[in-house]
Every structure is written in C-alpha cells, then in structure tokens.
Amino acid sequence: MDTKFHGVGVAIVTPFNADHSIDFDGFGRVIRHISDGGVRYVVLQGTTGESPTVTKKEKAQLLQYLKENNPKKLPIVYGVGGNVTADVVAGMKDIDFEGVDAILSVCPYYNKPGKRGVIEHFTRIADACPVPVILYNIPFRTGINMSAETIVELAQHPNIIGVKEASCVIEQCMEIVRDKPNDFLLISGDDVQGVPIISIGGVGVMSVIANAFPARFSAMIDAALQGDFAFAQKELGHFLRIDPLLYEEGNPVGVKNLMEILGLISAEVRLPLMKASDDLSERQRAVLQRDGLLELVTQ
C-alpha cells in the first residue's frame, strides 16, 4: 500500500494581505511552519484554502509557488472539483499536474444528484484525471451525503484511491472500512475524529488545525497509527475545546485568527467571510492559555 497519504495532511490556508491580494510571503511561512512540524503532505485549494473565492489564475500561482517552495518535497494534493461535471473535466486540461500527487474532488454540491449521478460524475473525473483521485464527502457543505455503498462502488475505479470522509458519522466510516478494497484510503476530514477513525481502520486526517499546530497534532496522529492510543487520546484532549472555535464563524476564519495570534499570518479572509469577531478572538485566546496550546507551538 502507498503510504504517502498516511498521517497528517494539512488543508493549507491562503494568506491574504490587507487589500485581500494573496500574501505569498505569508504562504511561504506557512509552508515552512507545517513542513518543520512533520506533516506528511499538503492539501492545496480545499475549502480551508478559500477555493470558492480564489481565481483560476491565483490557484495556478499558488500551485506553482508551492512546487517551487516545498523544502521537504511533501506530496501535493490539489483541489479540483465542482458541481458541473463537464467544466471540471474540461478544466483539468489547463492544470499543470507535474509535481501533483493526487487531486481532492468534492461531492457535487447544490444540484443534489442521486447515487447514479454521483458515480457518473466521479467516474468521468477519474477517467480524465492524469493523477489519482481522492473523493471528498462533506454533507453539511454539499447538501448530500455520499453513502458508504456509493463510496465503496467508486473505490473499484483504478484511479480513485481514497476518500476524505467528513460526514462525522462513525458508523458510515466503519461500513466503508468493512467493504472497501484493501488499498483504498479512509482519511478523516474532521480533526477531532482523526484518532477514532484511525482506530477503526483509517489512515490519517486532512487537518485544519495543523496549520497552527503541526508538530503536536502530527505526533498525536502518528502515535495513533502506531497503536499508541493512550498517548493519542491524551493529546486529543488538548484540542477538544479549541476545535469548535475554528468553525463558529466559518472556515478558515477561526484557524486564520489562531495563526494571527501565533504570529504566522494575518487573519484576513475574503468576502462573504469576515475576520473573526473580537468575541471569538478573546475566547480563542482564553482557550489557548487554559489548555497550554501557546506553549505547545513553541516546543
């Protein structure tokens, strides 16, 4: 089994300047921060990267920058998805896939297709894509849940290698593990479910909070993968109170505010998102102090 996507992959943020242009210097700092923290791979232009408000040209610039400023040569997963199948397939012709190890493709949103439509959508993408495809199931954003049955059927496609599972339904994850091919990857799409999902057969997590705390979060997930659940469960306790505050005002509003507190980047986001409120920021600071997370980032 290919293990390049085991462990922690960071759904990397897109830093912005005060005028909302891309802060490439800040992007470079984040790349170095997560690389030094021991993460296994980078997920570029997922939801946490504010992909809906990043232009096609900017996406290409971010991908090129990452390729040229990747000090530990981490594998790259690139977000390529949408709810118009023909446009997703056609758009792949304009992407430079050299140096891209896989794509992350979200379940089509808003249209709310049935099972047959979802399977045909991803089959056409997988047939056309020159690199492996990882499915992305996130029902609270897309409006539909890809069932375990649908995911397992898609897992038979030779170019579909895994799923980022963010349904937060552990029984569904167990069904996927029970019925999937041995080499198909179940990856948690929720930070605090990473350890539990590994315990039932998952291989890691595509993480939001690891933008801020890559070293400690990676140590926790790596321990779980090695079977040390006593350590992993204890470490998970550090993140339980801060995790809900990442999403209260939208993602990546919360994690970007954390990263500003830690001196990494500005908390700027693009509309229709807004920067974290003073109230949220104050509560984040209080939790960071209470749970020792400000100390963790310096260790």
Side-chain angles (χ1 to χ4, degrees):
M1 181 184 292
D2 188 347
T3 61
K4 72 172 65 174
F5 302 124
H6 289 207
V8 174
V10 175
I12 195 167
V13 299
T14 304
F16 296 124
N17 296 304
D19 64 359
H20 297 129
S21 61
I22 293 177
D23 175 10
F24 283 98
D25 289 340
F27 189 52
R29 285 194 300 276
V30 177
I31 295 169
R32 291 189 297 273
H33 176 62
I34 64 173
S35 297
D36 291 344
V39 307
R40 302 292 184 86
Y41 59 99
V42 182
V43 183
L44 180 68
Q45 280 302 287
T47 308
T48 306
E50 294 177 71
S51 56
T53 56
V54 174
T55 68
K56 181 178 179 180
K57 180 180 179 181
E58 289 172 330
K59 291 179 196 292
Q61 291 172 334
L62 287 162
L63 179 57
Q64 189 61 36
Y65 186 96
L66 176 57
K67 291 177 184 179
E68 295 174 357
N69 298 272
N70 186 0
K72 298 198 174 179
K73 306 302 179 187
L74 297 175
I76 296 171
V77 177
Y78 188 47
V80 180
N83 65 338
V84 182
T85 310
D87 286 354
V88 177
V89 171
M92 287 193 288
K93 298 174 183 176
D94 299 324
I95 297 171
D96 178 8
F97 282 100
E98 183 177 357
V100 174
D101 295 87
I103 68 166
L104 179 67
S105 197
V106 70
C107 187
Y109 42 84
Y110 195 73
N111 314 57
K112 299 188 75 172
K115 176 184 175 182
R116 291 188 303 127
V118 171
I119 289 174
E120 186 64 20
H121 172 83
F122 281 119
T123 297
R124 294 196 182 196
I125 289 172
D127 285 346
C129 190
V131 299
V133 176
I134 300 173
L135 311 172
Y136 185 14
N137 186 36
I138 184 163
F140 81 93
R141 284 189 180 276
T142 63
I144 59 171
N145 176 42
M146 274 198 292
S147 68
E149 181 183 7
T150 299
I151 291 167
V152 169
E153 186 166 339
L154 285 165
Q156 311 307 315
H157 193 292
N159 203 34
I160 297 177
I161 64 168
V163 61
K164 178 183 179 182
E165 176 54 54
S167 69
C168 295
V169 179
I170 201 72
E171 293 88 350
Q172 175 160 307
C173 296
M174 294 169 71
E175 291 174 3
I176 294 169
V177 170
R178 180 190 65 197
D179 298 331
K180 72 179 183 64
N182 288 336
D183 59 351
F184 185 78
L185 307 173
L186 172 63
I187 302 168
S188 176
D190 180 86
D191 283 330
V192 298
Q193 283 206 340
V195 171
I197 285 178
I198 289 170
S199 77
I200 56 97
V203 300
V205 56
M206 291 187 185
S207 173
V208 174
I209 203 166
N211 278 283
F213 305 112
R216 206 52 172 271
F217 196 82
S218 292
M220 178 188 74
I221 294 299
D222 289 347
L225 287 171
Q226 294 160 15
D228 188 355
F229 287 101
F231 175 83
Q233 289 162 1
K234 182 177 179 181
E235 290 300 293
L236 182 57
H238 286 292
F239 298 105
L240 291 179
R241 275 185 284 265
I242 196 66
D243 186 74
L245 301 184
L246 301 187
Y247 308 103
E248 193 173 288
E249 295 181 0
N251 183 38
V253 172
V255 75
K256 276 191 165 182
N257 194 68
L258 277 187
M259 297 170 81
E260 182 173 273
I261 291 170
L262 299 172
L264 290 167
I265 59 169
S266 164
E268 293 288 345
V269 291
R270 283 180 174 172
L271 286 168
L273 296 177
M274 295 284 288
K275 286 177 64 174
S277 65
D278 290 343
D279 174 67
L280 177 60
S281 185
E282 289 171 7
R283 285 185 288 125
Q284 282 189 339
R285 289 177 183 274
V287 170
L288 290 175
Q289 291 285 358
R290 176 179 178 181
D291 290 344
L293 286 168
L294 287 176
E295 297 176 6
L296 295 180
V297 78
T298 62
Q299 292 180 1

